[in-house]
Amino acid sequence: MSTQAVTATVGNGRMSKIFGGTVTDGVWTNIRDTLSDTNLGILIPRAPVNFIQAEYAAGLMAYRIQNAQSLAVSRRGWGALEDYSCFKSSMIPTYAIGSDDMIQVYSQPVAQTDECNALAWVHTTKGVELYEALGIADNTATEMKTALQDQSFGDAAFNSTLTQISICLNDGANLDKVEFIDSAGGVVLTIQGDARIPSPVTNGGISAYYNLMVPNMGLQVTKGFTMKITVTPN
């Protein structure tokens, strides 16, 4: 499997710590302080933090703060390509670091020519799940499934309400649209996407972190629903 170097700067307006290392793509990996080789919760317990600037070498990356004992996830988000991080966009609701907290990342590389890799944070009334699709062919509607259990949207989110979604494609890819399809094959909802910074498309993209962010949703999810995305080449 491929690997890449990643970092995450965690802090507030008075202090910050840098966590990082070389991680294996496609696996949630705990990263430690680059100076002391210490976990997040041990290094700065009870410290209030309000930003996480996560960066990766090539491809795309999600991050989360997770409690090592309860496995509860308190904060989550996206990384930016190295040297394209935006401080304002990396701010999070203030959170006091717990003594058992870890910062973890989940990366994927750039796909081969004419293909794309994608991740999505999907928020429903059941919780928040990371979805994934790999090797997506250009101009082909492709289903996204949960990254860990490989479940379809309808199976994972059955009998819940979709409240928010954000989608991130690997560097240089364009998101044409995301579609939510019912069990009869009917398209219930279509939302258009965008490029992501940096993009070879002139004036393409408004975010270094995602190709699409949709808050305040209210889609009722029933059995048989699927979520499909279509990507276009640059």
Side-chain angles (χ1 to χ4, degrees), residues 37-167:
D37 193 32
T38 305
N39 282 337
L40 174 67
I42 295 175
L43 186 65
I44 51 173
R46 299 180 299 281
V49 299
N50 61 8
F51 75 87
I52 300 175
Q53 288 186 281
E55 295 186 342
Y56 59 87
L60 69 165
M61 185 178 78
Y63 76 79
R64 68 186 181 188
I65 293 179
Q66 185 178 50
N67 184 286
Q69 301 301 318
S70 68
L71 302 184
V73 175
S74 53
R75 296 292 184 269
R76 56 179 61 81
W78 298 115
L81 179 65
E82 185 178 7
D83 297 330
Y84 286 90
S85 183
C86 168
F87 178 81
K88 184 176 180 180
S89 298
S90 68
M91 297 191 73
I92 61 173
T94 300
Y95 172 69
I97 298 297
S99 59
D100 292 321
D101 281 347
M102 307 176 294
I103 183 160
Q104 300 179 324
V105 299
Y106 187 98
S107 59
Q108 287 291 1
V110 175
Q112 65 183 29
T113 304
D114 298 326
E115 291 185 354
C116 172
N117 293 330
L119 298 171
W121 281 120
V122 177
H123 299 240
T124 72
T125 49
K126 279 188 172 181
V128 185
E129 190 85 39
L130 186 69
Y131 282 65
E132 180 176 65
L134 303 177
I136 305 166
D138 290 340
N139 300 303
T140 303
T142 302
E143 183 177 5
M144 298 196 76
K145 295 183 177 182
T146 58
L148 296 184
Q149 291 83 24
D150 196 37
Q151 287 184 301
S152 70
F153 177 59
D155 287 342
F158 172 66
N159 200 28
S160 70
T161 301
L162 175 65
T163 57
Q164 179 175 300
I165 184 172
S166 59
I167 298 174

